[in-house]
Amino acid sequence: MDPGRVSRRPDGGPVHRQAEPPLLYRHAGLLAVAEKAALDLKLAPVETVTGERTPRVVTGVIVTGDAFVASLAKKDALRKEFKADATEMEGAAVAQICWQRRVPCLILQPQR
């Protein structure tokens, strides 16, 4: 499994009526630029409900749902099923439009 993909159902898109690919891969060139920029990034600690933590930059799989996932059990199940590092609900829509328009795409998401 490629650690930089966006998973999506393969139904027809509104722009070209072709079946969408089940996985949308990140753009390698954009990923390289983001990883290089992250090397010099200094992130300050932040307060959370469970205490202070220092944000970090990771590369991995983001799984996208079509509904808000508030349940930790559901997030854990999605992460386990798809070997995902983060869950969210916007990335696949952005990646789908970029794929349809042949525009390079890289989804960045804070990990919670």
Side-chain angles (χ1 to χ4, degrees):
M1 278 180 27
D2 185 334
R5 65 184 190 182
V6 176
S7 181
R8 187 178 185 294
R9 290 185 317 208
D11 45 2
V15 173
H16 51 66
R17 302 290 181 213
Q18 292 179 305
E20 302 290 336
L23 303 173
L24 297 169
Y25 292 89
R26 84 292 186 259
H27 187 274
L30 292 177
L31 180 60
V33 169
E35 288 178 328
K36 183 177 179 185
L39 292 175
D40 296 324
L41 189 61
K42 305 291 186 236
L43 299 170
V46 294
E47 288 293 328
T48 70
V49 294
T50 58
E52 185 178 275
R53 72 174 182 86
T54 301
R56 59 193 176 96
V57 177
V58 298
T59 301
V61 174
I62 300 174
V63 65
T64 297
D66 59 359
F68 180 71
V69 181
S71 161
L72 288 177
K74 182 63 175 175
K75 285 182 183 182
D76 289 343
L78 287 169
R79 288 178 179 193
K80 183 177 180 182
E81 180 179 351
F82 295 102
K83 297 179 176 60
D85 300 293
T87 57
E88 51 90 271
M89 57 184 289
E90 303 87 7
V94 172
Q96 175 188 1
I97 296 300
C98 289
W99 177 82
Q100 290 171 349
R101 300 292 183 179
R102 291 169 178 67
V103 173
C105 178
L106 180 68
I107 304 299
L108 304 175
Q109 181 68 31
Q111 186 176 8
R112 295 178 177 90

